[in-house]
């Protein structure tokens, strides 16, 4: 099995994400929306490409504010399709806008996207995938699994001997909860 912990150290693109974000518990809805969207944009591409385009994606999608993105229309889609800073894929852009609409509705019903996720914990990965496929668009096992690992809901972000694992463990990520 190949671990992100093996390729990230010393890498100019991967190390900052690995060391400061990946696997750390997260409850900020904008960050959660960004992470979910990054996983969608990564589908079929390398994670390195996605991370290199991240700043452009954050700017193009106005900081991943779900309420703002939910209001995007055809003019915004055309703007995004012409934005060289991002991965220009109409299906992924459309999915991001649709998911923002769904996330806003979830947040209204559950106080936040983070609270919605928490209400479903703990689930197995197949159960999470089923839930996310029912709730959002452009969801698959890899997108859902990586998203949930990245925010501390599924195990596997780091090996136990990784120094970052040792930084995350005291934060009690959700996957460490015993049902």
């Amino acid at each position: 099995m190949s671990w992100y912990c093996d390729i990230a150290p010393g890498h100019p693109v991967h190390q900052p994400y690995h060391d400061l974000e990946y696997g750390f518990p997260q409850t900020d809805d904008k960050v959660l929306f960004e992470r979910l969207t990054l996983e969608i944009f990564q589908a079929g591409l390398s994670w390195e490409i996605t991370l290199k385009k991240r700043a452009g994606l954050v700017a193009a999608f106005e900081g991943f504010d779900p309420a703002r993105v939910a209001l995007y229309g055809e003019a915004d889609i055309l703007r995004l399709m012409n934005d060289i800073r991002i991965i220009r894929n109409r299906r992924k852009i459309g999915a991001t806008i649709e998911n923002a609409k769904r996330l806003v509705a979830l947040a209204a019903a559950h106080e936040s996207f983070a609270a919605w996720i928490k209400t479903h914990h703990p689930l197995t990965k197949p159960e999470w995938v089923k839930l996310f496929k029912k709730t959002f668009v452009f969801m698959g096992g890899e997108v859902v699994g990586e998203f949930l690992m990245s925010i501390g809901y599924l195990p596997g972000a780091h090996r136990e001997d990784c120094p970052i694992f040792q930084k995350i463990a005291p934060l009690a990520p959700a996957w460490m909860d015993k049902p």
Side-chain angles (χ1 to χ4, degrees):
M1 176 177 183
S2 178
W3 288 86
Y4 199 42
C5 306
D6 296 327
I7 65 160
H11 192 283
V13 176
H14 293 293
Q15 184 169 349
Y17 181 74
H18 172 272
D19 291 2
L20 303 173
E21 297 180 72
Y22 191 53
F24 285 82
Q26 186 54 250
T27 58
D28 181 291
D29 278 3
K30 288 181 184 178
V31 175
L32 293 170
F33 180 46
E34 175 188 0
R35 294 277 184 86
L36 185 62
T37 302
L38 290 176
E39 293 300 339
I40 290 169
F41 274 90
Q42 185 273 331
L45 301 171
S46 75
W47 187 238
E48 185 171 344
I49 289 170
T50 306
L51 288 176
K52 285 180 177 179
K53 294 284 189 177
R54 186 180 192 181
L57 286 160
V58 170
F61 285 100
E62 301 180 79
F64 285 103
D65 180 340
R68 290 184 72 108
V69 177
L71 299 175
Y72 284 9
E74 191 59 36
D76 295 293
I77 293 171
L78 292 173
R79 170 183 59 82
L80 293 163
M81 287 297 296
N82 288 304
D83 191 333
I84 62 170
R85 300 172 301 172
I86 72 168
I87 297 161
R88 295 174 287 174
N89 179 300
R90 190 174 186 90
R91 283 188 61 227
K92 293 176 181 183
I93 290 168
T96 300
I97 296 165
E98 179 60 30
N99 287 338
K101 292 174 185 177
R102 294 176 184 204
L103 196 149
V104 167
L106 279 179
H110 297 274
E111 296 184 25
S112 68
F113 182 33
W116 178 83
I117 293 170
K118 187 175 182 177
T119 64
H120 291 93
H121 177 68
L123 294 176
T124 64
K125 182 180 174 185
E127 291 168 331
W128 279 116
V129 172
K130 183 177 179 181
L131 176 65
F132 271 73
K133 281 184 171 186
K134 181 178 81 172
T135 309
F136 297 103
V137 298
F138 211 103
M139 294 291 115
E142 188 72 14
V143 168
V144 175
E146 283 297 325
F147 167 67
L148 292 168
M149 271 197 296
S150 82
I151 64 167
Y153 270 87
L154 285 178
H158 299 275
R159 288 189 324 259
E160 285 190 33
D161 66 342
C162 175
I164 306 308
F165 182 95
Q166 305 310 318
K167 289 181 181 179
I168 293 172
L171 302 175
W175 68 266
M176 289 182 135
D177 293 346
K178 300 295 182 217

